[in-house]
């Protein structure tokens, strides 16, 4: 594998685990819903914080942790539904849409309650930006294949949450999806042998409908987003 050859080859990347831990602590303590700063401004600041290869490693960890915690949360919710109702729900990481179609009203969108303390519209969004900016260097610090899978999962969770999970499509949510879409495109373009697009992405790409995008703090529409058209533009380029 190219990423492993580069890790083991010449000019190894010099990483500082202590700095990575410090960056993670600062991400958790300084940013998030508790900070009295607009989410978009926090994303910009947090992305600047995660500079260099150590910042890229931390960004990869944030993305992976968010996806893993969301999956664990949904499995726990599905188990709880089965205990209460006898109804068995299948939680499949490669395609969350069937789960949300079947049981959306009974589920809680997991990205707002990640136990690690990251907020989807702040730290996770910033990590996605950093991963996209460092796409050409990813194979120096990690295997990009599982990472792109986690990015697809977050994209699936977010868009399924809009459609079936009562998650409001506001400018912060739309910005997260745009960042995920762009970053996935960059990571795939940097891979020697990129994976196939997963089923939920292919399903959305067949659509051409626009969704209203709302102001985060007011009940008014400020724009629209056409997921299918945008995904085709970025992922089929």
């Amino acid at each position: 594998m190219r990423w492993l050859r580069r890790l083991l080859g010449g000019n190894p990347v010099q990483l500082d685990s202590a700095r990575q831990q410090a960056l993670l602590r600062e991400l958790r303590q300084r940013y998030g819903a508790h900070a009295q700063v607009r989410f978009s401004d926090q994303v910009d600041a947090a992305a600047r914080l995660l500079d260099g290869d150590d910042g890229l490693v931390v960004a990869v960890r944030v993305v992976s942790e968010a996806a893993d915690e969301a999956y664990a949360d949904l499995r726990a919710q599905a188990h709880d539904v089965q205990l209460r109702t006898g109804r068995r729900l299948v939680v499949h990481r490669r395609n969350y849409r069937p789960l949300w179609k079947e049981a959306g009203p009974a589920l809680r969108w997991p990205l707002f309650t990640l136990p690690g303390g990251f907020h989807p519209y702040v730290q996770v969004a910033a990590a996605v930006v950093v991963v996209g900016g460092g796409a050409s260097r990813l194979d120096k610090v990690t295997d990009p294949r599982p990472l792109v899978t986690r990015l697809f999962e977050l994209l699936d969770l977010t868009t399924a949450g809009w459609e079936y999970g009562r998650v409001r499509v506001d400018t912060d949510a739309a910005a997260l999806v745009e960042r995920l879409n762009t970053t996935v495109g960059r990571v795939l373009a940097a891979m020697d042998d990129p994976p196939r697009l997963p089923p939920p992405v292919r399903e959305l790409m067949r659509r051409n409908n626009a969704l209203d995008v709302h102001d985060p703090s007011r009940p008014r529409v400020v724009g629209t987003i056409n997921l299918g058209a945008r995904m085709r533009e970025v992922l089929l380029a």
Side-chain angles (χ1 to χ4, degrees):
M1 291 179 286
R2 179 186 172 200
W3 73 273
L4 185 57
R5 291 196 302 269
R6 294 189 66 169
L7 281 176
L8 298 177
N11 300 318
V13 174
Q14 299 297 316
L15 298 174
D16 184 342
S17 59
R19 180 170 185 262
Q20 292 169 27
Q21 291 302 316
L23 288 172
L24 280 168
R25 284 195 300 272
E26 187 165 358
L27 272 182
R28 288 190 169 98
Q29 295 171 5
R30 184 175 175 185
Y31 302 100
H34 63 278
Q36 300 300 310
V37 181
R38 289 191 311 173
F39 286 166
S40 58
D41 293 337
Q42 290 192 62
V43 171
D44 292 340
R48 288 194 298 270
L49 174 71
L50 300 180
D51 63 339
D53 288 328
D54 287 309
L56 182 57
V57 169
V58 170
V60 170
R61 176 170 171 176
V62 171
V63 167
S64 300
E65 181 177 303
D68 290 344
E69 289 180 349
Y71 172 62
D73 186 304
L74 283 174
R75 288 195 63 182
Q77 290 188 59
H79 180 66
D80 181 64
V81 169
Q82 185 173 7
L83 289 177
R84 289 187 291 104
T85 68
R87 183 183 182 189
R88 184 174 181 272
L89 300 176
V90 178
V91 183
H92 197 314
R93 294 185 76 159
R94 183 167 169 78
N95 189 356
Y96 284 116
R97 294 184 69 78
L99 170 70
W100 284 97
K101 287 178 183 178
E102 179 182 355
L107 299 175
R108 178 188 68 255
W109 196 56
L111 293 180
F112 279 151
T113 55
L114 295 172
F118 296 132
H119 193 287
Y121 302 159
V122 182
Q123 296 102 324
V124 175
V128 170
V129 170
V130 172
V131 168
S136 63
R137 291 187 57 78
L138 276 173
D139 59 359
K140 290 181 176 292
V141 299
T142 191
D143 180 357
R145 186 169 288 269
L147 172 63
V148 80
T149 299
R150 300 298 172 258
L151 289 165
F152 276 131
E153 288 176 19
L154 293 175
L155 183 58
D156 183 18
L157 279 169
T158 304
T159 55
W162 290 358
E163 193 165 355
Y164 306 108
R166 305 178 305 281
V167 177
R168 191 167 186 256
V169 185
D170 61 22
T171 54
D172 294 313
L176 173 61
V177 164
E178 174 61 20
R179 290 173 175 124
L180 284 164
N181 200 37
T182 300
T183 291
V184 165
R186 290 176 177 173
V187 174
L188 291 175
M191 296 175 69
D192 286 340
D193 184 23
R196 293 186 61 196
L197 299 177
V201 170
R202 297 200 301 270
E203 178 181 334
L204 288 172
M205 288 173 71
R206 290 192 290 268
R207 300 183 181 182
N208 201 41
N209 58 301
L211 300 174
D212 288 339
V213 178
H214 298 82
D215 186 305
S217 58
R218 300 177 184 177
R220 65 187 181 102
V221 174
V222 295
T224 60
I225 181 172
N226 186 322
L227 285 173
R230 184 60 180 146
M231 286 182 173
R232 292 192 298 271
E233 178 184 353
V234 173
L235 301 180
L236 298 181

